[in-house]
Amino acid sequence: MDKNLVLGIDVGGTGIKGAIVDVKKGEFVSDKVKYKTPKESGPKAVLEVIKKMLKDLDWEGKYFGCGFPSIIKDGICCSAANIDKRWIGVDLGELFKRELGVSAHFSNDADLAALAEMRFGKGKGVMGKVLLVTLGTGIGSGLFMDQKLIPNSELGHLHYKKSIVEHYASNRARENKDLSWEEWGTELNKVLKYMSLILNPDLFLLGGGVSKKFDNYKEYLTIDTKIIPAKLLNNAGIIGAAMLAYEGGQ
């Protein structure tokens, strides 16, 4: 198999998706496979889904990459905001190697989406401070300074109103509360202003599936910082996961 073709898997609170990626081009070379994240999203249930995915994609490589909705430090899952709390404290690489027989490389899902966008998308070549915000089941964040990742920023968990920002401005919050684009865009604008006050980025990139509907809410984003939709949309996490594995598995 071509060593530049690597499997990337993106584990999210709503769905688990994966594809084989040409890591030199940042493009899929297989169909994208997607399953719903099990309601009981503990290690056993998620591993079963990933086993199916490896079979569906006929993956026989020595390693793959995986984005995870968690703070990841030295391969250990340190939080579990949008997935079962039983993951906390798990050595992900050791577990996956034992259960799947394949080496896997792990990082925070939003960090990997940002990595892909900075390499192949709208962040390519952009210097200064860039903050990618993923808007999905929750809110993830990937922070870069002069093209270098500052990992595990987790800005979706900033305290906001009576809870945290992702409970107000994530795409799931928009859907659950049946918010109009104006209502949601206005709320998102407040959240981005809050993040801007803390980090003062030079550029916001908006990722996740809802970024492809940017025209529906862009007029409500009025902060001074430049805001543009990410190029790779909902595929960024898969591409970033494959890149992580390729660069860590050489």
Side-chain angles (χ1 to χ4, degrees), residues 138-155:
I139 290 180
S141 58
L143 179 62
F144 277 75
M145 183 66 196
D146 292 337
Q147 293 286 312
K148 293 183 179 179
L149 174 68
I150 302 169
N152 294 313
S153 55
E154 290 289 272
L155 296 181

Side-chain angles (χ1 to χ4, degrees), residues 87-150:
W87 284 102
I88 296 175
V90 171
D91 184 325
L92 296 169
E94 190 276 329
L95 174 67
F96 276 57
K97 180 68 173 179
R98 184 178 72 241
E99 296 296 325
L100 303 177
V102 181
S103 294
H105 300 258
F106 296 87
S107 190
N108 174 266
D109 54 351
D111 282 350
L112 292 181
L115 179 67
E117 190 66 28
M118 295 300 286
R119 186 77 57 86
F120 299 110
K122 296 288 184 65
K124 185 176 181 179
V126 177
M127 302 304 285
K129 195 182 296 179
V130 179
L131 179 58
L132 180 135
V133 178
T134 59
L135 303 167
T137 305
I139 290 180
S141 58
L143 179 62
F144 277 75
M145 183 66 196
D146 292 337
Q147 293 286 312
K148 293 183 179 179
L149 174 68
I150 302 169

